[in-house]
C-alpha cells in the first residue's frame, strides 16, 4: 500500500482570500488559477500496519506542525477505503517552501493523489478535490491542468473545480521573481481570518468578486491577454488592499516586490505582453506570452533584491508516478 504522486503549485489570477467555513476551507469567493509547470512537489505515501500514528517528513525534516491537517485528509481517504493503517508521508519540493509559492497547494494535491493510489480507491474527482481542499483551500486547483476555475456551488461540498483551458489551448508562461526564501510570518489561513474579522474592505471584496471572476473567465475564453492583465492585477491589488487594511495590517511585500511590479508595468507599457500577480508572500509572478519569457526573465533578474528567477509554463494536474 505505497504510492508516489507529484503536483505543481498554482497561482491565482482572480484570487481567493477569506473563508466562509474555516473547518472545511470553504472559500468565501471562487478563484481562477494557473497550474505552474516547472515547480514540483513529490510525495510518497505508505500505509503500514505497525505505525502508531501518521508520520510526516517535509524536505527531509519531520514536521509535526502540519501533521493534524495531513491526518484529516488521510482519515477521509482511509474511511473511503475501509482501512485503518497509519501512513508514512515523505514529501519534497524543488522550490522554496512556505514562502508564497503555494507549496501547500501542491503538497495537499500530491498527498491525496498518492494516498488514493496507495489505497487503490476509485474516487470521484469532485470527492478528491474536496479532500484536498480540507488540507488547503487552493489545493484542489493543483489537481487540474492549465487554467483552472474553482467555483462556489450550492452542492454538498460547496465548490467545484475544473480546467477551463489545458496548456496547449493557451500556453501562457509565468516568470517567478524570488525575493526571499524565508517562510512568511503570517500564514494565509491566519491572514484571511484576520481580514474577514477586521478589514472594512472585506465586504466590498466579497461583494465585487463574482464580477471579477466572471470577467477573468470571459477573457480566458476569448484569449484576450490585455484584458486578462488588467482584471488580474486589479484582483491582486484588491486582495492586498484587504490584507493591508486588516488589523494588525498585513504587508506581504518587500521593497523588491514593489520594484518588480514597477518593472513589469514599464515592460507592459513598452508593448511586452506581461502582467504581475502576488500571493501572500514577497515573490512576484509575471504572467506573459511565451515569446516574452527571455525579456521578462532578464528584466526581473536585474531588479535589486531579486535572488532567483524561475521560468514556469502551464502544467498538468497532479499525477501518480508509481
Ligand atoms: C493569497 O490556499 O494557501 O494565495 O486555504 O488557508 O490553506 P488555506 O490558504 P491558501 O490561500 C491562498 C491564498 C492566495 C490567493 C490564491 O491562491 O487564490
Amino acid at each position: 500500500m505505497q504510492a508516489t504522486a507529484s503536483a505543481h503549485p498554482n497561482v491565482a489570477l482572480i484570487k481567493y482570500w477569506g473563508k466562509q467555513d474555516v473547518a472545511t476551507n470553504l472559500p468565501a469567493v471562487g478563484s481562477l488559477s494557473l497550474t505552474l509547470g516547472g515547480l514540483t512537489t513529490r510525495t510518497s505515501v505508505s500505509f503500514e500496519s505497525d505505525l502508531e500514528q501518521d508520520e510526516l517528513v517535509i524536505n527531509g525534516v519531520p514536521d509535526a506542525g502540519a501533521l493534524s491537517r495531513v491526518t484529516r485528509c488521510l482519515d477521509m481517504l482511509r474511511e473511503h477505503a475501509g482501512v485503518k493503517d497509519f501512513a508514512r508521508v515523505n514529501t519534497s519540493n524543488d522550490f522554496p517552501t512556505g514562502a508564497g509559492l503555494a507549496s501547500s497547494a501542491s503538497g495537499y494535491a500530491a498527498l491525496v493523489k498518492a494516498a488514493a493510489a496507495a489505497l487503490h480507491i476509485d474516487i470521484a474527482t469532485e470527492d478528491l478535490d474536496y479532500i484536498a481542499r480540507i488540507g488547503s483551500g487552493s489545493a484542489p486547483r493543483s489537481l487540474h491542468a492549465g487554467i483552472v476555475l474553482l467555483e462556489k456551488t450550492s452542492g454538498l461540498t460547496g465548490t467545484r473545480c475544473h480546467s477551463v483551458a489545458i496548456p496547449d489551448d493557451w500556453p501562457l508562461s509565468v516568470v517567478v521573481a524570488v525575493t526571499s526564501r524565508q517562510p512568511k510570518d503570517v500564514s494565509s489561513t491566519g491572514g484571511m481570518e484576520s481580514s474577514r474579522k477586521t478589514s472594512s474592505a472585506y465586504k466590498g471584496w466579497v461583494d465585487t468578486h463574482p464580477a471579477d471572476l466572471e470577467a477573468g473567465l470571459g477573457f480566458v475564453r476569448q484569449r484576450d491577454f490585455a484584458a486578462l492583465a488588467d482584471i488580474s492585477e486589479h484582483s491582486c491589488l484588491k486582495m492586498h488592499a484587504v490584507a493591508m487594511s486588516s488589523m494588525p495590517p498585513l504587508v506581504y511585500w518587500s521593497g523588491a516586490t514593489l520594484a518588480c511590479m514597477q518593472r513589469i508595468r514599464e515592460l507592459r507599457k513598452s508593448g511586452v505582453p506581461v502582467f504581475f500577480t502576488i500571493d501572500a508572500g514577497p515573490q512576484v509572478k509575471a504572467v506573459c506570452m511565451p515569446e516574452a519569457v527571455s525579456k521578462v526573465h532578464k528584466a526581473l533578474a536585474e531588479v535589486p533584491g531579486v535572488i532567483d528567477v524561475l521560468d514556469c509554463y502551464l502544467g498538468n494536474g497532479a499525477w501518480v508516478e508509481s
Side-chain angles (χ1 to χ4, degrees):
M1 293 218 291
Q2 195 273 337
T4 300
S6 292
H8 300 303
N10 66 74
V11 61
L13 303 184
I14 308 297
K15 304 285 189 194
Y16 144 52
W17 193 251
K19 301 183 196 216
Q20 192 177 317
D21 179 51
V22 175
T24 60
N25 281 334
L26 175 63
V29 293
S31 51
L32 184 68
S33 65
L34 308 180
T35 299
L36 291 181
L39 309 178
T40 305
T41 297
R42 200 161 185 270
T43 301
S44 296
V45 179
S46 156
F47 290 89
E48 298 173 19
S49 56
D50 56 344
L51 291 176
E52 286 177 1
Q53 59 168 46
D54 293 321
E55 291 179 6
L56 172 66
V57 173
I58 303 181
N59 295 327
V61 182
D63 191 313
L67 189 60
S68 62
R69 275 222 240 178
V70 164
T71 289
R72 253 193 99 192
C73 295
L74 292 175
D75 280 346
M76 294 170 85
L77 290 162
R78 273 188 284 254
E79 197 183 324
H80 209 283
V83 164
K84 293 217 156 26
D85 292 351
F86 290 110
R88 221 182 276 280
V89 178
N90 205 319
T91 185
S92 54
N93 300 318
D94 66 1
F95 58 94
T97 300
L101 286 176
S103 54
S104 60
S106 51
Y108 284 102
L111 172 79
V112 300
K113 197 83 186 169
L119 292 166
H120 303 287
I121 48 175
D122 187 16
I123 184 165
T125 309
E126 204 175 315
D127 292 335
L128 203 61
D129 286 343
Y130 176 63
I131 297 172
R133 196 188 85 195
I134 296 297
S136 175
S138 56
R141 301 187 316 223
S142 281
L143 287 166
H144 301 271
I147 307 181
V148 178
L149 175 67
L150 195 156
E151 57 188 340
K152 305 246 308 160
T153 66
S154 54
L156 212 57
T157 62
T159 54
R160 193 170 88 92
C161 192
H162 61 105
S163 177
V164 292
I166 59 168
D168 282 350
D169 289 340
W170 200 21
L172 298 174
S173 296
V174 182
V175 179
V176 180
V178 178
T179 66
S180 163
R181 290 205 175 84
Q182 295 305 311
K184 58 195 167 211
D185 292 340
V186 180
S187 68
S188 301
T189 310
M192 286 182 201
E193 272 305 276
S194 171
S195 293
R196 186 179 66 79
K197 289 180 187 148
T198 67
S199 170
S200 57
Y202 183 77
K203 187 179 180 303
W205 160 254
V206 174
D207 290 348
T208 58
H209 197 282
D212 293 347
L213 189 58
E214 200 48 45
L217 196 56
F219 300 141
V220 166
R221 291 200 170 117
Q222 295 153 19
R223 313 281 188 262
D224 185 339
F225 187 88
L228 186 64
D230 287 341
I231 194 70
S232 299
E233 289 190 354
H234 172 73
S235 178
C236 167
L237 293 175
K238 208 195 290 189
M239 182 210 110
H240 283 277
V242 174
M244 286 178 193
S245 57
S246 305
M247 191 63 195
L250 292 162
V251 182
Y252 287 107
W253 303 346
S254 66
T257 311
L258 205 53
C260 288
M261 291 158 69
Q262 279 163 347
R263 191 70 191 94
I264 289 165
R265 292 206 132 185
E266 281 165 16
L267 285 171
R268 187 148 92 257
K269 239 186 183 163
S270 73
V272 180
V274 60
F275 63 87
F276 64 76
T277 190
I278 303 148
D279 288 325
Q283 330 299 5
V284 178
K285 288 96 176 185
V287 181
C288 61
M289 297 301 286
E291 62 272 19
V293 169
S294 61
K295 205 173 218 174
V296 172
H297 184 116
K298 189 166 174 292
L300 292 178
E302 283 167 1
V303 172
V306 170
I307 52 180
D308 202 1
V309 180
L310 313 166
D311 294 344
C312 302
Y313 47 89
L314 292 195
N316 287 322
W319 67 99
V320 176
E321 304 257 5
S322 58

